Protein backbone atom coordinates (compact mmCIF):
# COMPACT_ATOMS: atom_id res chain seq x y z
CA UNK A 1 0.00 0.00 0.00
CA UNK A 2 1.28 3.44 -0.88
CA UNK A 3 2.01 5.81 1.97
CA UNK A 4 -0.40 8.75 2.27
CA UNK A 5 0.95 11.97 0.75
CA UNK A 6 2.71 14.29 3.12
CA UNK A 7 1.19 17.74 3.42
CA UNK A 8 2.78 20.96 4.59
CA UNK A 9 1.64 21.77 8.12
CA UNK A 10 1.39 25.40 7.14
CA UNK A 11 -1.15 24.74 4.43
CA UNK A 12 -3.54 22.23 5.95
CA UNK A 13 -5.95 24.94 7.08
CA UNK A 14 -5.23 24.10 10.71
CA UNK A 15 -3.70 27.15 12.42
CA UNK A 16 -2.28 25.14 15.29
CA UNK A 17 -0.67 22.63 12.97
CA UNK A 18 0.55 25.66 11.09
CA UNK A 19 2.56 26.68 14.12
CA UNK A 20 5.06 24.01 13.16
CA UNK A 21 5.81 26.19 10.15
CA UNK A 22 4.74 29.42 11.82
CA UNK A 23 6.66 30.49 14.91
CA UNK A 24 9.02 27.61 14.26
CA UNK A 25 11.99 27.50 16.58
CA UNK A 26 15.26 27.65 14.76
CA UNK A 27 18.32 27.88 16.94
CA UNK A 28 16.05 28.90 19.82
CA UNK A 29 17.49 29.65 23.23
CA UNK A 30 16.51 27.11 25.90
CA UNK A 31 17.78 26.83 29.46
CA UNK A 32 16.95 25.32 32.80
CA UNK A 33 16.91 28.09 35.43
CA UNK A 34 17.49 27.04 39.05
CA UNK A 35 17.32 29.41 42.02
CA UNK A 36 16.97 29.68 45.77
CA UNK A 37 15.01 32.67 47.17
CA UNK A 38 15.50 35.54 47.08
CA UNK A 39 16.07 35.80 43.34
CA UNK A 40 15.00 38.01 40.45
CA UNK A 41 15.99 38.36 36.81
CA UNK A 42 15.15 41.32 34.59
CA UNK A 43 14.41 40.33 30.96
CA UNK A 44 15.00 42.97 28.29
CA UNK A 45 15.87 40.71 25.35
CA UNK A 46 13.01 41.93 23.09
CA UNK A 47 12.39 38.33 22.00
CA UNK A 48 9.13 37.85 20.07
CA UNK A 49 8.06 34.88 22.20
CA UNK A 50 9.26 33.30 25.43
CA UNK A 51 7.78 30.24 27.13
CA UNK A 52 8.32 29.65 30.86
CA UNK A 53 7.38 26.24 32.27
CA UNK A 54 7.43 25.97 36.06
CA UNK A 55 8.92 22.64 37.10
CA UNK A 56 9.51 23.17 40.82
CA UNK A 57 8.64 25.89 43.31
CA UNK A 58 6.87 29.07 42.22
CA UNK A 59 7.66 32.42 40.63
CA UNK A 60 6.17 35.77 39.71
CA UNK A 61 6.26 37.19 36.17
CA UNK A 62 5.97 40.97 36.46
CA UNK A 63 5.67 42.92 33.18
CA UNK A 64 6.41 46.64 33.05
CA UNK A 65 2.89 47.13 31.71
CA UNK A 66 -0.03 44.90 32.61
CA UNK A 67 -0.91 42.53 35.40
CA UNK A 68 1.64 40.25 37.03
CA UNK A 69 1.22 36.48 37.00
CA UNK A 70 2.14 33.88 39.62
CA UNK A 71 3.31 30.48 38.41
CA UNK A 72 3.28 27.31 40.46
CA UNK A 73 4.72 23.90 39.65
CA UNK A 74 3.25 22.51 36.43
CA UNK A 75 2.03 25.90 35.22
CA UNK A 76 3.19 27.85 32.20
CA UNK A 77 3.45 31.44 31.01
CA UNK A 78 4.03 32.86 27.53
CA UNK A 79 5.45 36.35 27.17
CA UNK A 80 4.96 37.96 23.78
CA UNK A 81 7.68 40.55 23.17
CA UNK A 82 9.16 42.99 22.90
CA UNK A 83 8.07 44.42 26.26
CA UNK A 84 10.41 43.86 29.25
CA UNK A 85 9.45 41.95 32.38
CA UNK A 86 10.94 40.56 35.59
CA UNK A 87 10.91 36.96 36.85
CA UNK A 88 11.27 36.69 40.63
CA UNK A 89 10.46 34.75 43.76
CA UNK A 90 8.58 37.84 44.96
CA UNK A 91 7.49 40.99 43.09
CA UNK A 92 9.54 43.10 45.49
CA UNK A 93 12.87 41.31 45.01
CA UNK A 94 15.56 43.43 43.35
CA UNK A 95 16.92 41.85 40.12
CA UNK A 96 20.35 40.26 40.38
CA UNK A 97 20.82 39.92 36.60
CA UNK A 98 19.57 41.44 33.34
CA UNK A 99 19.02 39.45 30.13
CA UNK A 100 19.66 41.51 26.99
CA UNK A 101 19.24 40.75 23.26
CA UNK A 102 21.38 37.88 22.03
CA UNK A 103 21.13 36.09 25.41
CA UNK A 104 23.70 38.51 26.83
CA UNK A 105 23.68 38.49 30.64
CA UNK A 106 24.79 41.40 32.81
CA UNK A 107 24.58 42.62 36.38
CA UNK A 108 22.08 45.44 36.90
CA UNK A 109 24.97 47.95 36.98
CA UNK A 110 26.00 46.88 33.47
CA UNK A 111 28.96 44.64 34.30
CA UNK A 112 29.04 41.36 32.30
CA UNK A 113 28.23 38.21 34.24
CA UNK A 114 30.90 36.31 32.30
CA UNK A 115 29.37 32.91 33.00
CA UNK A 116 29.33 33.34 36.77
CA UNK A 117 25.79 31.90 36.95
CA UNK A 118 26.39 28.94 34.62
CA UNK A 119 25.81 25.71 36.54
CA UNK A 120 25.98 23.06 33.80
CA UNK A 121 24.77 22.28 30.29
CA UNK A 122 21.99 24.78 29.51
CA UNK A 123 21.60 25.36 33.22
CA UNK A 124 21.77 28.75 34.87
CA UNK A 125 21.23 30.23 38.30
CA UNK A 126 22.30 29.45 41.88
CA UNK A 127 22.57 25.66 42.03
CA UNK A 128 21.21 22.76 39.97
CA UNK A 129 19.06 21.44 42.83
CA UNK A 130 17.68 24.84 43.79
CA UNK A 131 14.20 25.02 45.29
CA UNK A 132 12.90 26.81 42.19
CA UNK A 133 13.29 25.41 38.69
CA UNK A 134 11.95 26.63 35.35
CA UNK A 135 12.50 25.55 31.76
CA UNK A 136 12.63 28.64 29.57
CA UNK A 137 12.46 28.59 25.78
CA UNK A 138 12.91 31.74 23.70
CA UNK A 139 12.12 32.21 20.02
CA UNK A 140 14.65 34.60 18.52
CA UNK A 141 12.74 35.27 15.29
CA UNK A 142 9.03 35.66 14.64
CA UNK A 143 7.72 34.79 11.24
CA UNK A 144 4.76 36.37 9.51
CA UNK A 145 2.45 33.34 9.40
CA UNK A 146 2.90 32.60 13.10
CA UNK A 147 2.39 36.26 13.85
CA UNK A 148 -1.14 36.10 12.47
CA UNK A 149 -2.03 33.78 15.35
CA UNK A 150 0.29 35.10 18.04
CA UNK A 151 -0.89 38.68 17.56
CA UNK A 152 -4.19 37.53 19.06
CA UNK A 153 -2.49 36.71 22.35
CA UNK A 154 -2.12 39.10 25.28
CA UNK A 155 1.41 40.32 26.09
CA UNK A 156 1.51 37.83 28.98
CA UNK A 157 -0.68 34.76 29.40
CA UNK A 158 -0.61 31.91 31.86
CA UNK A 159 -2.09 28.44 32.08
CA UNK A 160 -2.82 27.14 35.55
CA UNK A 161 -2.65 23.48 36.51
CA UNK A 162 -6.45 23.18 36.49
CA UNK A 163 -6.53 24.22 32.81
CA UNK A 164 -3.89 21.94 31.36
CA UNK A 165 -1.43 19.14 31.97
CA UNK A 166 1.95 19.18 30.24
CA UNK A 167 3.07 15.68 29.18
CA UNK A 168 6.29 17.16 27.79
CA UNK A 169 7.81 18.18 31.12
CA UNK A 170 9.74 14.94 31.77
CA UNK A 171 11.07 14.90 28.21
CA UNK A 172 12.10 18.56 28.36
CA UNK A 173 13.85 18.06 31.68
CA UNK A 174 15.84 15.17 30.25
CA UNK A 175 16.68 16.74 26.90
CA UNK A 176 17.52 20.29 27.96
CA UNK A 177 20.69 19.17 29.75
CA UNK A 178 21.89 16.76 27.06
CA UNK A 179 25.01 17.69 25.13
CA UNK A 180 24.86 15.52 22.02
CA UNK A 181 25.05 16.05 18.24
CA UNK A 182 21.84 17.50 16.86
CA UNK A 183 20.55 18.46 20.28
CA UNK A 184 19.64 22.00 19.26
CA UNK A 185 17.24 20.65 16.64
CA UNK A 186 15.66 18.29 19.18
CA UNK A 187 15.09 21.18 21.57
CA UNK A 188 13.69 23.39 18.82
CA UNK A 189 11.05 20.80 17.95
CA UNK A 190 10.19 20.19 21.61
CA UNK A 191 9.71 23.92 22.06
CA UNK A 192 7.36 23.99 19.06
CA UNK A 193 5.30 21.18 20.57
CA UNK A 194 5.18 22.92 23.94
CA UNK A 195 3.86 26.11 22.35
CA UNK A 196 1.25 24.23 20.31
CA UNK A 197 0.03 22.35 23.41
CA UNK A 198 -0.17 25.60 25.37
CA UNK A 199 -2.03 27.56 22.69
CA UNK A 200 -4.45 24.72 22.10
CA UNK A 201 -5.30 24.80 25.81
CA UNK A 202 -5.48 28.61 25.79
CA UNK A 203 -7.93 28.85 22.89
CA UNK A 204 -10.02 25.97 24.28
CA UNK A 205 -10.96 28.00 27.37
CA UNK A 206 -14.68 28.91 27.53
CA UNK A 207 -13.80 32.60 27.80
CA UNK A 208 -11.18 32.51 25.04
CA UNK A 209 -11.26 35.16 22.32
CA UNK A 210 -9.38 33.65 19.36
CA UNK A 211 -8.75 35.79 16.28
CA UNK A 212 -11.75 36.15 14.00
CA UNK A 213 -10.24 34.06 11.18
CA UNK A 214 -9.39 31.28 13.67
CA UNK A 215 -12.97 31.11 14.93
CA UNK A 216 -14.29 31.36 11.37
CA UNK A 217 -12.67 28.03 10.49
CA UNK A 218 -15.65 26.38 12.19
CA UNK A 219 -18.10 27.99 9.78
CA UNK A 220 -19.14 25.57 7.00
CA UNK A 221 -18.80 28.21 4.26
CA UNK A 222 -16.04 30.57 5.44
CA UNK A 223 -14.01 27.74 6.95
CA UNK A 224 -13.95 26.00 3.57
CA UNK A 225 -12.78 29.18 1.86
CA UNK A 226 -10.03 29.77 4.41
CA UNK A 227 -8.74 26.23 3.90
CA UNK A 228 -8.83 26.55 0.12
CA UNK A 229 -6.84 29.77 0.26
CA UNK A 230 -4.32 28.36 2.72
CA UNK A 231 -3.98 25.05 0.89
CA UNK A 232 -3.35 26.63 -2.51
CA UNK A 233 -2.39 30.30 -2.32
CA UNK A 234 -0.88 30.21 -5.83
CA UNK A 235 -4.24 29.42 -7.44
CA UNK A 236 -5.74 32.38 -9.35
CA UNK A 237 -8.63 32.75 -6.94
CA UNK A 238 -11.47 35.20 -7.51
CA UNK A 239 -14.53 35.88 -5.39
CA UNK A 240 -16.56 34.09 -8.05
CA UNK A 241 -14.40 30.95 -8.06
CA UNK A 242 -14.33 30.83 -4.26
CA UNK A 243 -18.09 31.29 -4.09
CA UNK A 244 -18.49 28.44 -6.56
CA UNK A 245 -16.40 26.15 -4.35
CA UNK A 246 -18.54 27.07 -1.34
CA UNK A 247 -21.84 26.75 -3.21
CA UNK A 248 -23.02 30.29 -2.46
CA UNK A 249 -23.36 33.52 -4.40
CA UNK A 250 -20.53 36.03 -4.62
CA UNK A 251 -22.51 38.57 -2.62
CA UNK A 252 -23.36 36.03 0.08
CA UNK A 253 -19.74 34.91 0.37
CA UNK A 254 -18.39 38.45 0.51
CA UNK A 255 -20.88 39.42 3.19
CA UNK A 256 -20.46 36.29 5.31
CA UNK A 257 -16.65 36.24 5.03
CA UNK A 258 -16.34 39.92 5.96
CA UNK A 259 -18.72 39.53 8.91
CA UNK A 260 -16.79 36.57 10.36
CA UNK A 261 -13.18 37.38 9.43
CA UNK A 262 -13.32 41.16 9.56
CA UNK A 263 -12.07 41.73 6.01
CA UNK A 264 -13.16 40.74 2.46
CA UNK A 265 -11.97 37.43 0.98
CA UNK A 266 -9.51 38.97 -1.48
CA UNK A 267 -8.00 41.23 1.19
CA UNK A 268 -7.42 38.17 3.36
CA UNK A 269 -5.92 36.29 0.40
CA UNK A 270 -3.52 39.16 -0.30
CA UNK A 271 -2.40 39.27 3.32
CA UNK A 272 -1.87 35.51 3.38
CA UNK A 273 0.15 35.54 0.15
CA UNK A 274 2.37 38.39 1.30
CA UNK A 275 2.95 36.77 4.69
CA UNK A 276 4.07 33.61 2.92
CA UNK A 277 6.34 35.65 0.67
CA UNK A 278 7.86 37.48 3.65
CA UNK A 279 8.68 34.19 5.37
CA UNK A 280 10.17 32.65 2.24
CA UNK A 281 12.29 35.72 1.61
CA UNK A 282 13.74 35.25 5.06
CA UNK A 283 13.96 31.46 5.17
CA UNK A 284 15.02 30.55 1.64
CA UNK A 285 17.37 31.56 -1.14
CA UNK A 286 14.63 31.35 -3.76
CA UNK A 287 14.57 34.10 -6.35
CA UNK A 288 11.84 36.72 -6.21
CA UNK A 289 10.35 35.29 -9.42
CA UNK A 290 10.15 31.83 -7.85
CA UNK A 291 8.57 33.16 -4.67
CA UNK A 292 6.07 35.18 -6.70
CA UNK A 293 4.93 32.01 -8.49
CA UNK A 294 4.74 30.09 -5.20
CA UNK A 295 2.40 32.60 -3.56
CA UNK A 296 0.18 33.48 -6.51
CA UNK A 297 1.71 36.52 -8.20
CA UNK A 298 2.30 36.55 -11.93
CA UNK A 299 5.66 38.30 -11.77
CA UNK A 300 8.29 39.59 -9.40
CA UNK A 301 7.19 43.11 -10.29
CA UNK A 302 3.60 42.57 -9.16
CA UNK A 303 4.77 40.91 -5.95
CA UNK A 304 7.23 43.73 -5.26
CA UNK A 305 4.55 46.38 -5.73
CA UNK A 306 2.09 44.64 -3.38
CA UNK A 307 4.81 43.82 -0.85
CA UNK A 308 6.07 47.40 -0.61
CA UNK A 309 2.55 48.75 -0.33
CA UNK A 310 1.83 46.53 2.71
CA UNK A 311 5.24 46.20 4.38
CA UNK A 312 6.69 49.57 3.49
CA UNK A 313 9.92 48.08 2.14
CA UNK A 314 10.87 46.17 -0.99
CA UNK A 315 11.22 42.37 -0.84
CA UNK A 316 14.99 42.73 -1.17
CA UNK A 317 15.12 45.19 1.73
CA UNK A 318 13.04 42.78 3.80
CA UNK A 319 15.39 39.89 2.97
CA UNK A 320 18.46 41.96 3.83
CA UNK A 321 17.03 43.11 7.17
CA UNK A 322 15.99 39.56 8.09
CA UNK A 323 19.48 38.29 7.32
Amino acid sequence: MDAPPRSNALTRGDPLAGLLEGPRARGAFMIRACFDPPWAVRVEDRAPLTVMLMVRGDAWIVPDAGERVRLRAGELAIARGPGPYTCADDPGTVPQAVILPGAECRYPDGRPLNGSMDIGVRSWGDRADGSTMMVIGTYLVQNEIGGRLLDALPPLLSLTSDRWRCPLTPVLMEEVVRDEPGQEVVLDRLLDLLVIAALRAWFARPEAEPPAWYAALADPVVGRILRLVQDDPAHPWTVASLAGKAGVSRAALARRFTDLVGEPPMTYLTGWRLALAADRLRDSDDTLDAIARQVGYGSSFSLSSAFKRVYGVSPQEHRTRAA
Side-chain angles (χ1 to χ4, degrees):
M1 179 181 293
D2 292 336
R6 296 177 60 188
S7 59
N8 189 323
L10 180 62
T11 57
R12 284 198 295 246
D14 180 349
L16 288 178
L19 286 176
L20 285 171
E21 298 291 341
R24 181 169 182 166
R26 186 177 57 183
F29 180 69
M30 185 179 287
I31 61 167
R32 181 184 64 164
C34 311
F35 295 102
D36 286 316
W39 63 273
V41 177
R42 171 83 172 165
V43 181
E44 299 178 357
D45 61 2
R46 302 186 63 83
L49 189 74
T50 299
V51 186
M52 293 161 276
L53 176 64
M54 206 75 211
V55 177
R56 186 166 66 230
D58 57 71
W60 287 90
I61 314 298
V62 185
D64 282 14
E67 296 186 6
R68 61 196 184 190
V69 165
R70 187 177 186 181
L71 291 183
R72 296 175 175 83
E75 299 180 345
L76 172 143
I78 294 179
R80 186 168 60 85
Y85 54 93
T86 299
C87 299
D89 70 304
D90 183 88
T93 302
V94 176
Q96 64 205 73
V98 180
I99 311 298
L100 300 171
E104 180 183 356
C105 304
R106 292 185 174 271
Y107 289 106
D109 63 8
R111 290 178 297 127
L113 278 166
N114 292 328
S116 62
M117 296 181 70
D118 294 346
I119 51 175
V121 176
R122 298 185 195 88
S123 298
W124 191 77
D126 297 330
R127 58 189 180 92
D129 58 350
S131 60
T132 301
M133 182 181 293
M134 304 172 71
V135 171
I136 302 169
T138 301
Y139 287 81
L140 303 179
V141 177
Q142 175 172 313
N143 95 10
E144 296 296 328
I145 295 300
R148 295 173 72 88
L149 181 60
L150 298 181
D151 284 348
L153 302 178
L156 178 66
L157 68 84
S158 64
L159 287 169
T160 55
S161 56
D162 61 330
R163 293 294 180 98
W164 89 312
R165 294 287 185 273
C166 182
L168 295 172
T169 301
V171 181
L172 282 166
M173 289 301 298
E174 180 178 346
E175 294 293 340
V176 73
V177 294
R178 285 183 182 272
D179 189 14
E180 298 180 4
Q183 193 62 20
E184 297 295 339
V185 176
V186 172
L187 294 176
D188 283 352
R189 298 293 74 78
L190 285 173
L191 181 55
D192 288 335
L193 292 173
L194 181 62
V195 171
I196 290 170
L199 293 185
R200 183 168 58 186
W202 175 259
F203 285 128
R205 298 171 307 128
E207 70 275 24
E209 296 182 5
W213 61 264
Y214 181 96
L217 284 165
D219 183 82
V221 172
V222 176
R224 176 168 171 75
I225 299 306
L226 286 169
R227 289 180 173 87
L228 285 169
V229 166
Q230 293 177 9
D231 285 347
D232 192 3
H235 187 83
W237 295 113
T238 64
V239 175
S241 64
L242 289 170
K245 291 288 187 180
V248 297
S249 70
R250 288 179 294 175
L253 172 62
R255 182 172 56 251
R256 188 163 179 166
F257 194 101
T258 303
D259 287 346
L260 292 180
V261 179
E263 59 186 356
M266 301 313 289
T267 302
Y268 178 88
L269 173 60
T270 296
W272 179 256
R273 285 171 167 170
L274 293 178
L276 285 170
D279 287 345
R280 289 176 183 173
L281 284 163
R282 191 199 67 207
D283 295 335
S284 78
D285 295 324
D286 291 349
T287 66
L288 190 57
D289 276 329
I291 293 173
R293 291 192 299 271
Q294 292 164 13
V295 302
Y297 282 87
S299 69
S300 60
F301 178 79
S302 59
L303 173 58
S304 293
S305 297
F307 195 93
K308 190 164 187 177
R309 185 171 61 250
V310 172
Y311 285 88
V313 297
S314 70
Q316 186 56 51
E317 287 174 308
H318 175 82
R319 173 170 272 172
T320 300
R321 291 180 182 183

